[in-house]
Amino acid sequence: MKTIKDYFKIQELVCNVVYEKFGERSWKFFDNDLLETLLVIREAIGKPITINNWNNGGRFTQRGLRHNLSRLVTSKKRLYLSPHIFGKGIDFDVKGMSAPEVREWLVDNQDILPYKIRLERKLAGKPINWVHLDTLSEPKYPKVYQFDC
């Protein structure tokens, strides 16, 4: 049986600051529901998923866990309780698929998902070109709940 570590290195889920301090122990900061959901999606979709890529010279550093001192968090002027800071949310891309295609795939394949998920579609009224997925759910939400910020 494959595990999440067969598909992702911890550096893909945390920024360099968290990795430098905690290394492989950084897995402990993630919600198991999120990791299990990510594993199911990765195996079923059959394509590479990019979350953070700072460790390979890429520009993505804050698409997984966000710590309390990151600029993205400290720049907020209002209460910020994003699923990213609880290890319950990720932003990602799937190779060869647009964000709307991935969201559509998730809705069409929701029966394979082990937990309810939320998907962000728009930010400040504009469609986003990445997939935000989190496991921060409420009983009233459907299996796949799409929202706009």
Side-chain angles (χ1 to χ4, degrees):
M1 179 154 91
K2 294 228 179 208
T3 69
I4 194 73
K5 293 179 182 180
D6 292 317
Y7 293 106
F8 298 94
K9 295 177 183 174
I10 191 60
Q11 296 96 320
E12 296 175 81
L13 299 172
V14 300
C15 68
N16 61 320
V17 174
V18 171
Y19 186 74
E20 287 170 13
K21 181 163 178 77
F22 296 98
E24 288 297 313
R25 295 183 347 232
S26 301
W27 287 105
K28 69 183 176 182
F29 299 120
F30 286 91
D31 178 69
N32 287 331
D33 293 357
L34 176 68
L35 294 177
E36 187 177 343
T37 301
L38 180 58
L39 175 61
V40 166
I41 292 168
R42 176 59 183 88
E43 288 190 324
I45 210 161
K47 298 178 181 200
I49 293 175
T50 301
I51 303 170
N52 288 333
N53 59 5
W54 60 266
N55 62 319
N56 292 322
R59 63 185 174 98
F60 298 128
T61 62
Q62 295 293 311
R63 296 183 359 147
L65 182 73
R66 294 183 186 153
H67 62 84
N68 67 317
L69 297 177
S70 72
R71 252 184 272 149
L72 197 122
V73 174
T74 60
S75 69
K76 301 297 180 187
K77 302 296 182 212
R78 60 185 173 91
L79 185 63
Y80 183 74
L81 294 173
S82 167
H84 289 274
I85 64 174
F86 298 110
K88 291 178 160 286
I90 55 171
D91 298 333
F92 65 94
D93 301 304
V94 175
K95 187 174 185 172
M97 296 177 76
S98 68
E101 289 172 331
V102 175
R103 286 190 285 274
E104 182 178 337
W105 185 93
L106 288 164
V107 170
D108 291 347
N109 292 278
Q110 64 185 288
D111 291 343
I112 68 168
L113 299 175
Y115 303 99
K116 289 182 172 187
I117 62 169
R118 297 184 333 144
L119 299 172
E120 184 178 359
R121 295 175 298 204
K122 293 181 181 178
L123 181 61
K126 297 179 182 175
I128 57 175
N129 64 357
W130 65 88
V131 179
H132 167 90
L133 178 148
D134 69 58
T135 54
L136 192 66
S137 189
E138 294 185 28
K140 66 181 179 179
Y141 292 165
K143 182 88 176 253
V144 177
Y145 175 72
Q146 298 191 59
F147 68 98
D148 303 325
C149 280

